[in-house]
């Protein structure tokens, strides 16, 4: 195993695994798991965990399980269960036949609790939530022992069985571990292992159970039952590790996985807490969990991100133990690089201005040829129709401009991308003084070559009016206007930081005729405008509605921006 070269970047967790393999720990096995709670959709932070867990397993020829951590039924549902599976698959990972639910282990978890009780290591406590908090102490003061802590094993066994049988109301009793109320680690002060929850129908176990195990109790046992070797989780569980180990050390499970913590991903201009994402989706701040502005996998997919770009991003940010806030630009660069290499080029006019080419005969039209990609010839050529009337972008014309403006001006010339040089002869305006049409002439000798001795200021894109197809584009900006939306002044709310201009919809756009055959999932560069894909929700019944995946920033765009 050790001669294998991991294909992904190395980090401290890989070093731990390398050492374990060298020392022969876990009989040379590497087995990880991704353990989502089905109480929301997966987000880009989960992607970090997925790429880590499945990636490590892949690179060491190990295994990775998908396990739903479903111990909190009132927030969970089957919609989430299904979409989580869809998203993990879409990211390119497969759990094969190892799809598990913590609820698969409810009986075993119960039996282990009986084991703990029998060994005098757990007890039924009758204190209410309020009182338990009081007895728990603080970081500075030790807690006090519950008056129920000294119950006999027989009484505890009887009460726990009756908890399960439904004899008690919610909150009336809990099962607690008997550890140490004076521990400096608050998690070790007789933590709750089981609570009572009546009247909820669990999405997997229905009404079979009215007691539910806590995460800190369920997780180590689920890991052990599945033979997990390395249980990778985020840093907030560091203080829970002693409890993870305590549980496994005090029951008769065959193996003891090692919990290792890494820092969670935080991304600028967005939020990652499921509670907040739920609020955005449910209260109409966005179109839903798959809104293209959301940091969810479903949102990124609908926006047009590729699985490869997200995996690439997860590799670039690395795995460490230090807190971090990653710039949105890092994610955007990943998709930009992917699409720059792979997306065919097209022309689309987002703010159309009509141009009539007076010396091009009304009845004529012709077919020009254009490369699908400037660097990758294997992507071939496409045909673009040209005719007397075309659209250009309003921003590509000014009546007057200084030399820095390299587009069309009155009396000036510009090259139409993949076509001819045109000259603006006349500007037509409506009664309000708005420019409504340009009258131009074209030079038939300029196809594919520069006019001799003449300086043409720039190149602009266009679409033939007769052939172009009409539709809509959606331009997205940051969902929040602050890099850290969680930072709010006293009395404020994170939704106060939402960016009111995060979605701009442009209607009446013209796309080159080749785009009439676009399918959901196709991604294009609209030259000078960015990378686009059809919106899977809006582009129905033949409507062309494109999402801008990300803006462009190649050299051509830079020159144009300076000129603007
Ligand atoms: P909750 O508040 O519901 O617990 P969670 O973000 O922890 O939310 P889980 O479904 O429990 O959600 O997460 C599944 C796995 O993904 C866990 O192992 C968790 O540590 C990891 N994870 C969650 N958020 C991030 C993040 N931002 N960065 C890296 N890993 C994450
Ligand atoms: Mg969690």
């Amino acid at each position: 195993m050790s001669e294998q070269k991991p294909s992904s970047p190395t980090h401290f967790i890989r070093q731990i695994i390398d050492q374990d393999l060298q020392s022969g720990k876990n009989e040379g096995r590497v087995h990880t798991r991704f353990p989502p709670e089905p109480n929301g959709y997966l987000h880009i932070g989960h992607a970090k965990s997925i790429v880590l867990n499945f990636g490590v397993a892949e690179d060491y020829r190990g295994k990775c399980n998908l396990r739903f951590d479903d111990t909190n039924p009132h927030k969970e549902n089957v919609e989430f269960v299904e979409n989580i599976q869809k998203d993990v698959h879409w990211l390119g990972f497969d759990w094969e036949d190892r799809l598990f639910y913590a609820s698969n282990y409810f009986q075993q978890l119960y039996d282990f609790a009986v084991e703990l009780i029998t060994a005098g290591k757990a007890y039924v406590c009758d204190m209410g939530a309020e009182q338990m908090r009081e007895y728990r102490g603080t970081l500075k003061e030790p807690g006090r022992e519950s008056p129920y802590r000294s119950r006999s094993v027989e009484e505890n066994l009887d009460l726990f069985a009756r908890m399960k049988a439904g004899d008690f109301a919610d909150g009336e009793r809990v099962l607690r571990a008997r550890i140490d109320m004076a521990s400096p680690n608050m998690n070790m002060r007789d933590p709750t292992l089981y609570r009572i929850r009546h009247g909820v129908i669990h999405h997997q176990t229905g009404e079979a159970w009215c007691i539910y195990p806590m995460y800190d109790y369920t997780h180590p046992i689920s890991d052990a039952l599945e033979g997990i070797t390395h249980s990778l989780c985020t840093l907030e569980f560091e203080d829970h590790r002693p409890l993870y180990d305590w549980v496994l050390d005090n029951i008769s499970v065959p193996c003891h996985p090692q919990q290792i913590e890494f820092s969670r991903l935080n991304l600028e201009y967005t939020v990652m807490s499921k509670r907040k994402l739920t609020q955005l989706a449910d209260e109409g701040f966005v179109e839903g969990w798959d809104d293209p502005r959301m940091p969810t996998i479903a949102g990124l997919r609908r926006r047009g991100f590729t699985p490869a770009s997200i995996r690439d991003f997860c590799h670039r940010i690395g795995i460490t133990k230090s807190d971090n806030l990653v710039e949105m630009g890092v994610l955007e660069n990943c998709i930009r690089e992917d699409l720059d290499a792979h997306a065919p080029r097209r022309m689309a006019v987002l703010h159309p201005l009509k141009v009539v080419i007076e010396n091009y005969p009304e009845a004529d039209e012709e077919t020009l040829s254009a490369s699908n990609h400037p660097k990758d010839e294997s992507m071939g050529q496409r045909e673009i129709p040209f005719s007397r009337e075309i659209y250009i972008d309003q921003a590509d014309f000014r009546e007057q401009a200084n030399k820095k403006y390299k587009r069309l001006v009155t009396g000036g010339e510009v090259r139409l991308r993949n076509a001819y040089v045109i000259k603006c002869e006349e500007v037509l305006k409506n009664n309000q003084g708005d420019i409504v049409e340009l009258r131009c002439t074209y030079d038939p000798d300029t196809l594919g070559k520069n006019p001799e001795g003449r300086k043409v200021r720039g190149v602009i894109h266009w679409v033939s009016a007769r052939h172009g197809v009409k539709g809509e584009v959606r331009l997205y900006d940051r969902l929040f206007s602050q890099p850290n939306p969680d930072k709010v002044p006293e009395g404020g709310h994170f939704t106060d930081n939402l960016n009111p201009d995060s979605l701009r919809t442009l209607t009446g756009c013209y796309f080159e005729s080749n785009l009439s055959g676009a399918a959901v999932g196709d991604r294009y560069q609209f030259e000078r405008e960015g990378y686009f894909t059809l919106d899977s929700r809006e582009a129905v019944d033949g409507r062309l509605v494109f999402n801008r995946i990300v803006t462009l920033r190649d050299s051509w765009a830079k020159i144009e921006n300076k000129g603007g």
Side-chain angles (χ1 to χ4, degrees), residues 45 134 209 237 263 275 312 343 358 375 393 431 444 499:
E134 233 173 79
W209 294 86
F237 292 105
S263 61
R275 188 176 53 77
D312 180 26
E358 292 179 313
K375 281 168 273 180
D393 200 280
N431 291 339
N499 172 10

Side-chain angles (χ1 to χ4, degrees), residues 339-354:
L339 296 176
D340 180 39
H342 301 117
R345 277 39 176 179
R346 295 289 182 264
M347 294 197 288
V349 175
L350 306 190
H351 308 89
L353 170 61
K354 191 177 216 173

Side-chain angles (χ1 to χ4, degrees), residues 110-383:
Y110 180 85
D111 295 341
F112 283 127
V114 168
E115 227 183 273
L116 285 174
I117 294 171
T118 308
K121 288 170 180 165
Y123 62 97
V124 173
C125 182
D126 302 1
M127 291 200 296
E130 183 82 2
Q131 215 185 352
M132 270 199 22
R133 214 169 306 128
E134 233 173 79
Y135 272 65
R136 207 165 166 236
T138 63
L139 283 174
K140 288 190 192 117
E141 275 171 49
R144 278 177 291 153
E145 292 184 354
S146 159
Y148 305 98
R149 202 177 200 257
S150 49
R151 269 182 169 143
S152 69
V153 168
E154 289 68 33
E155 192 184 2
N156 279 318
L157 286 173
D158 174 60
L159 287 173
F160 189 49
R162 287 171 59 198
M163 278 172 65
K164 176 174 184 272
D167 286 1
F168 309 117
D170 286 13
E172 207 179 323
R173 288 191 163 86
V174 294
L175 183 75
R176 296 176 72 176
R178 192 164 190 223
I179 310 180
D180 179 7
M181 288 309 290
S183 171
N185 184 339
M186 302 285 283
N187 296 304
M188 299 299 272
R189 295 185 185 173
D190 291 11
T192 299
L193 304 181
Y194 267 90
R195 64 226 191 287
I196 301 169
R197 286 268 183 286
H198 286 289
V200 279
I201 298 174
H202 190 286
H203 50 101
Q204 302 301 318
T205 58
E207 292 177 290
W209 294 86
C210 67
I211 54 172
Y212 288 96
M214 302 297 287
Y215 174 89
D216 279 339
Y217 175 69
T218 309
H219 204 80
I221 297 178
S222 307
D223 282 348
L225 291 173
E226 291 175 16
I228 301 302
T229 56
H230 301 85
S231 180
L232 314 180
C233 64
T234 34
L235 270 182
E236 68 273 21
F237 292 105
E238 200 165 25
D239 288 346
H240 296 239
R241 189 177 351 119
L243 180 53
Y244 183 101
D245 290 332
W246 183 92
V247 169
L248 296 181
D249 287 341
N250 286 286
I251 58 170
S252 57
V253 275
C255 84
H256 191 137
Q258 181 184 3
Q259 175 178 305
I260 307 169
E261 309 86 15
F262 63 95
S263 61
R264 21 184 349 114
L265 165 68
N266 298 298
L267 196 56
E268 280 185 348
Y269 295 100
T270 192
V271 291
M272 218 74 92
S273 134
K274 263 194 265 177
R275 188 176 53 77
K276 288 178 181 160
L277 293 174
T278 304
Q279 198 179 345
L280 293 177
D282 287 356
E283 295 178 18
F285 290 103
V286 294
E287 289 172 16
W289 284 97
D290 69 348
D291 186 295
R293 292 164 292 183
M294 291 279 267
T296 52
I297 303 303
L300 292 166
R301 174 171 55 233
R302 184 173 155 201
R303 172 87 164 249
F305 277 70
T306 59
S309 68
I310 295 174
R311 292 195 302 265
D312 180 26
F313 171 74
C314 293
H315 287 145
R316 285 192 204 188
I317 57 175
I319 299 290
T320 67
K321 270 189 181 287
S322 43
D323 272 333
N324 54 68
L325 183 61
V326 176
E327 285 174 27
M328 196 57 117
V330 179
L331 179 60
E332 290 182 347
N333 272 334
C334 291
I335 184 65
R336 201 177 273 128
E337 282 177 25
D338 186 1
L339 296 176
D340 180 39
H342 301 117
R345 277 39 176 179
R346 295 289 182 264
M347 294 197 288
V349 175
L350 306 190
H351 308 89
L353 170 61
K354 191 177 216 173
V355 171
V356 176
I357 301 167
E358 292 179 313
N359 59 340
Y360 198 96
E362 176 91 61
D364 278 10
E365 61 179 58
E366 66 192 290
T367 303
L368 307 175
S369 180
S371 307
N372 282 324
H373 196 281
K375 281 168 273 180
D376 186 350
E377 278 176 28
S378 74
M379 291 177 71
Q381 303 272 314
R382 68 191 193 277
E383 298 187 332

Side-chain angles (χ1 to χ4, degrees), residues 12-68:
F12 77 97
I13 295 180
R14 283 173 186 278
Q15 285 158 9
I16 294 173
I17 295 174
D18 287 336
Q19 282 162 17
D20 289 349
L21 289 175
Q22 249 164 32
S23 70
K25 198 176 164 188
N26 306 309
E27 309 88 41
R29 289 185 309 117
V30 174
H31 201 149
T32 57
R33 85 286 169 268
F34 172 64
E37 185 180 352
N39 61 351
Y41 280 61
L42 297 182
H43 52 62
I44 183 81
H46 291 116
K48 174 177 179 174
S49 177
I50 293 167
V51 170
L52 172 65
N53 278 293
F54 281 93
V56 157
E58 242 167 49
D59 290 342
Y60 288 93
R61 301 223 186 103
K63 290 178 177 150
C64 181
N65 298 356
L66 175 62
R67 183 201 314 140
F68 288 105

